[in-house]
Amino acid sequence: MNARRPGRHFLQIPGPTNVPDRVLHAIALPTLDHRGPEFAALALTVQAGLRRVFQTSGPVVTYPASGTGAWEAALVNTLNPGDRVLMVRTGQFATLWHAMAQRLGLDVVLLETDWRHGADPVAIGAVLADDREGRIRAVCVVHNETSTGCVTDIPAVRAAIDAARHPALLLVDTISSLASIPYRHEAWGVDVTVAGSQKGLMLPPGLSFNAIGPKALAASERARLPRSFWDWGPMLAGMERGNFPYTPATNLLRGLAEALAMLQEEGLEAVFARHARHGAATRAAVEAWGLEVQCADPAAYSGTLTGVQLPEGQSADALRALILARFDMSLGAGLGRLADRMFRIGHLGDINDLTLLGTLAGVEMGLALAQVPHRPGGVNAAMAVLAEA
Ligand SMILES: *Cc1c(COP(=O)(O)O)cnc(C)c1O
């Protein structure tokens, strides 16, 4: 494919997402002295903005790493070799976090789901109630499972832990929900929140975060899993002075300051409402096509992505390849056991109504060209939702 492709590529995968021009320009500024005063001021601005987005008054540490690094940091800073942890396999991302926990030598109790629902707080509460000796040290859940488009009710998980009077820490992956779907680290009683830069925060990949609550901080002083690069201690030691223990990703932090300013200008509540509307419009399109949404629980529908199942015998990967070739649009693949069975429409980050309608038009034309059995009219159905007052 070497012919010029006019116009913008449609990057409608659920991360990395489209990076707004303002953020790209900020990243393109000259690289700073990371020990100088200008950088320290930038780091303090970013820290204040991150606390607003995570909705916490506590520290948020920032790593020059993809989200996977922040998963590891959450585990190695709070746990000991052989500690028992409770995880819920809501989809492929939960599966990867589970595999990491096993490689780190943790003893994982794993609850299964059908990959069409969020984690079940009742099932979590039942496991904790049976754990009378308090051997489970942490509950790890993915807030927005990016492989399925199902959201877990985090306040309900917190309530289940509390109802069982269980001391386990609550660790939550918000990599594809932060700054898109309502989330409150402090008010919801989360101990560690894991996030990444390349989804709702509208940055390129390369930064990831741990928001740290007081119970997790206390646990980190005793935790014995080996850690060096991921150690919160040196990160926290210099934080009030805008200092990092090793070279931070200075240009990405310039971009993050700009993205945080943009989120504040729009208002977090407006950002959440925009994502909820776009999720509703996308599902209206899928329903009009006569196709099935992967998430089977309306209470768990995601505002950041929609998984679309293909009828038996149809290849989702062939459909995605056709749409890329014909319309220059990338859609998310089915992951893990959903490979080739479904595709994912990303509707998060820097996106407006017409970007979404262009996306859905590309899907609808692709369905026709690939001769996937469906009904026309999905774009019209989405327009009706978006045109509502
Ligand atoms: C994208 C994503 C990850 C993986 O993050 P990387 O940046 O690829 O390491 C983990 N969890 C969820 C929920 C995600 O959406």
Side-chain angles (χ1 to χ4, degrees):
M1 225 193 302
N2 40 23
R4 185 182 107 80
R5 312 213 71 181
R8 282 219 177 187
H9 174 70
F10 266 55
L11 182 67
Q12 297 309 135
I13 60 177
T17 64
N18 295 288
V19 179
D21 289 348
R22 273 174 65 178
V23 173
L24 288 174
H25 292 150
I27 292 170
L29 289 172
T31 296
L32 285 163
D33 169 10
H34 65 295
R35 303 286 179 215
E38 193 185 344
F39 178 78
L42 171 72
L44 294 176
T45 302
V46 163
Q47 179 63 212
L50 285 172
R51 288 180 194 205
R52 278 195 295 273
V53 169
F54 283 89
Q55 304 202 33
T56 180
S57 57
V60 181
V61 298
T62 301
Y63 296 103
S66 87
T68 302
W71 266 348
E72 181 159 342
L75 298 176
V76 298
N77 279 285
T78 55
L79 297 165
N80 306 298
D83 271 0
R84 187 164 290 176
V85 300
L86 175 59
M87 297 182 128
V88 187
R89 199 203 302 268
T90 44
Q92 182 65 9
F93 288 98
T95 299
L96 294 173
W97 202 10
H98 168 241
M100 170 188 279
Q102 289 191 310
R103 285 193 297 269
L104 290 172
L106 296 167
D107 172 15
V108 185
V109 178
L110 186 64
L111 290 174
E112 298 286 352
T113 77
D114 63 356
W115 293 34
R116 301 194 68 185
H117 294 78
D120 178 4
V122 175
I124 291 172
V127 172
L128 295 178
D130 278 348
D131 180 37
R132 294 201 183 78
E133 293 156 38
R135 292 201 50 208
I136 294 171
R137 306 302 295 269
V139 175
C140 305
V141 288
V142 176
H143 181 215
N144 183 69
E145 177 48 78
T146 321
S147 63
T148 66
C150 296
V151 177
T152 287
D153 182 344
I154 300 301
V157 172
R158 174 78 261 169
I161 298 172
D162 293 345
R165 298 178 189 282
H166 199 286
L169 295 171
L170 175 57
L171 314 186
V172 180
D173 170 349
T174 66
I175 294 176
S176 65
S177 54
L178 190 83
S180 312
I181 293 175
Y183 185 80
R184 308 172 81 84
H185 171 88
E186 200 161 273
W188 291 359
V190 178
D191 295 298
V192 184
T193 298
V194 173
S197 58
Q198 76 270 30
K199 303 190 184 179
L201 289 173
M202 308 180 287
L203 289 171
L207 293 179
S208 59
F209 312 93
N210 279 175
I212 306 167
K215 257 176 74 184
L217 200 56
S220 76
E221 278 151 26
R222 299 183 302 268
R224 285 180 287 102
L225 272 177
R227 56 187 145 141
S228 168
F229 183 83
W230 306 114
D231 195 347
W232 290 342
M235 284 280 190
L236 295 169
M239 183 172 281
E240 298 307 321
R241 287 171 287 116
N243 207 339
F244 283 75
Y246 43 78
T247 315
T250 49
N251 288 54
L252 285 176
L253 289 167
R254 288 217 203 244
L256 179 56
E258 192 65 29
L260 291 167
M262 291 170 70
L263 288 168
Q264 210 183 352
E265 286 165 28
E266 185 176 352
L268 266 188
E269 293 306 318
V271 171
F272 298 153
R274 172 166 57 84
H275 283 85
R277 263 178 87 243
H278 286 169
T282 303
R283 290 188 300 274
V286 175
E287 197 181 316
W289 291 325
L291 300 177
E292 192 146 350
V293 172
Q294 176 66 23
C295 182
D297 175 9
Y301 284 153
S302 171
T304 67
L305 76 132
T306 300
V308 184
Q309 294 184 350
L310 281 207
E312 208 49 48
Q314 300 290 325
S315 163
D317 289 343
L319 173 69
R320 288 188 314 105
L322 181 151
I323 290 171
L324 177 61
R326 282 294 296 267
F327 305 116
D328 198 18
M329 174 162 72
S330 295
L331 295 166
L335 299 177
R337 70 187 215 201
L338 299 174
D340 204 31
R341 302 299 329 125
M342 54 97 87
F343 66 95
R344 296 170 300 143
I345 302 172
H347 36 78
L348 73 161
D350 189 38
I351 160 169
N352 61 21
D353 290 2
L354 296 188
T355 312
L356 182 69
L357 287 173
T359 299
L360 297 174
V363 173
E364 188 160 329
M365 289 188 285
L367 289 168
L369 288 167
Q371 298 183 333
V372 173
H374 73 289
R375 295 190 300 266
V379 175
N380 282 15
M383 282 167 57
V385 171
L386 295 175
E388 274 169 21

